[in-house]
Amino acid sequence: MTDLNRRYLLAGAAAVGAAAITGLRPAAVNAAVPQAGTQAPGFYRYKVGAFECTSINDGARTFPMPDKFVANKPKEEALAAGEAAYMPKGMVTVPFNPQLINTGSKLVLIDTGNGVANLEASKGAVGRTLQNLQAAGVDPKNVDVVLLSHLHPDHTNGIRLADGALAFPNAEIMVPGKDWEFWTSEDNAAKAESNPMMKNYFANVKKTFAGLESKVTKFEWGKEVAPGITSIGTPGHTPGHTSFAVASGDAKVLIQSDVTNIPEFFLRNPDWHVMFDNDAALAQETRHKFYDMAAAEKATVIGFHFTFPSVGHVVKDGAKYRLIPSAWNPTI
């Protein structure tokens, strides 16, 4: 029996490399085609009853882990969680995945990603929503509703093109009323002057929505905000942070938005506080309530910061939770 230990595998790899260099077999190494150097389009369709839904990948950002990425734990614990998830050493990777819901009567885009203005700056890492919508056969002019879960930049900046024009020119823009009230308050902005991250958030809201006030519709929690789409109050991440239940017939999915950031950290450790949460204690409470409900219902859960295609189920694991990703389905 072949001994599949590490020494054997490394020796085998070395032998193949030597054969390629010396011209010995296997000769197929010399027949390689040029490398493509580009990634495939990122979209994934799934059904919810009669609705056709599409997970649209806006990209993923990998960056050195900030000292307080997990605000209430030593950085060493957070780094260990990253290494356990096979993230690059000392780094953290955050994916971004807006959702497109075709109800048959309305085409609804839930969140818009980082925006094309960030596409070049990030060397293609983020800002891919428009090109992936195009790959999925969707004309942005046909989007009827842009439905925002909250007003953080990675969810709202895709509203604008690089030149400032509207990316979805015919869409009604719907925002949680509580979030709009918070982020457009001059008093709140003044209080945030000493916090660089919050100061940037307030400035970004002002820039993104300048001149769009007449196109913005504020919605409340617990209401049907579009056909088959009901808003769910999940505050903490921001004061008006909202999740959505998408239901058609007997089928339903929960779009959790940012109830948790990357699940390898904050679903496995729901009492950890991500640095982006406005009210970390409330966000922690919300996580437990939301995931207790999702686990009890055995609901399909869609996460903005889940690994693409961002579809799965949440199960309880003692006082913690685990994400069970759904298998890729080649049919719709």
Side-chain angles (χ1 to χ4, degrees):
M1 180 180 294
T2 302
D3 181 13
L4 291 178
N5 58 34
R6 186 169 181 271
R7 180 176 295 176
Y8 175 87
L9 293 173
L10 290 174
V16 170
I21 293 170
T22 61
L24 300 176
R25 292 181 181 274
V29 172
N30 297 318
V33 299
Q35 296 179 0
T38 57
Q39 190 53 272
F43 66 90
Y44 177 78
R45 294 191 174 100
Y46 58 96
K47 294 283 284 187
V48 180
F51 295 174
E52 183 179 87
C53 306
T54 310
S55 187
I56 302 291
N57 183 243
D58 187 64
R61 192 185 293 277
T62 298
F63 51 93
M65 184 184 291
D67 289 343
K68 287 296 182 181
F69 184 72
V70 180
N72 62 335
K73 292 291 178 182
K75 186 177 181 180
E76 291 71 24
E77 287 191 41
L79 287 170
E83 289 191 29
Y86 290 93
M87 293 183 185
K89 189 174 181 63
M91 312 286 276
V92 63
T93 299
V94 180
F96 309 92
N97 300 290
Q99 301 297 306
L100 184 72
I101 315 298
N102 188 341
T103 71
S105 62
K106 294 285 185 180
L107 194 59
V108 181
L109 181 65
I110 301 180
D111 292 326
T112 65
N114 291 271
V116 291
N118 284 303
L119 189 61
E120 184 175 347
S122 69
K123 298 181 180 179
V126 298
R128 305 177 72 91
T129 290
L130 285 180
Q131 67 184 48
N132 282 326
L133 281 170
Q134 182 180 16
V138 177
D139 186 338
K141 294 178 181 178
N142 292 332
V143 173
D144 297 297
V145 178
V146 168
L147 182 59
L148 299 175
S149 61
H150 62 296
L151 301 187
H152 276 172
D154 53 325
H155 297 256
T156 65
N157 281 0
I159 288 173
R160 301 271 192 182
L161 298 175
D163 63 1
L166 291 179
F168 309 97
N170 299 315
E172 177 185 13
I173 300 171
M174 301 189 69
V175 307
K178 288 181 181 293
D179 235 41
W180 183 265
E181 180 182 1
F182 178 80
W183 292 108
T184 58
S185 165
E186 294 293 340
D187 288 343
N188 289 340
K191 294 174 185 175
E193 281 292 320
S194 61
N195 183 323
M197 182 177 71
M198 290 292 287
K199 181 180 178 180
N200 176 64
Y201 286 167
F202 278 101
N204 193 76
V205 168
K206 191 171 186 176
K207 177 182 178 182
T208 301
F209 292 94
L212 299 183
E213 292 82 3
S214 63
K215 293 180 70 73
V216 169
T217 300
K218 276 85 74 178
F219 64 81
E220 299 176 2
W221 291 333
K223 306 289 186 180
E224 187 176 59
V225 293
I229 304 176
T230 301
S231 59
I232 304 170
T234 48
H237 183 57
T238 66
H241 180 268
T242 304
S243 301
F244 303 97
V246 178
S248 172
D250 296 330
K252 181 175 77 171
V253 300
L254 297 174
I255 295 181
Q256 66 112 65
S257 309
D258 282 13
V259 171
T260 184
N261 198 274
I262 47 176
E264 296 85 355
F265 284 60
F266 305 102
L267 189 65
R268 290 297 299 139
N269 303 284
D271 298 330
W272 284 14
H273 296 168
V274 70
M275 63 184 292
F276 309 117
D277 284 344
N278 178 257
D279 184 335
L282 181 57
Q284 176 182 337
E285 180 184 337
T286 293
R287 270 191 294 280
H288 283 282
K289 287 181 179 178
F290 186 91
Y291 290 119
D292 283 349
M293 172 188 71
E297 293 183 5
K298 297 184 177 180
T300 298
V301 178
I302 316 295
F304 189 79
H305 296 298
F306 291 4
T307 299
F308 183 78
S310 67
V311 183
H313 293 82
V314 173
V315 297
K316 291 205 71 170
D317 185 11
K320 302 181 178 184
Y321 307 92
R322 288 188 297 120
L323 177 66
I324 310 297
S326 296
W328 184 284
N329 191 341
T331 62
I332 302 174

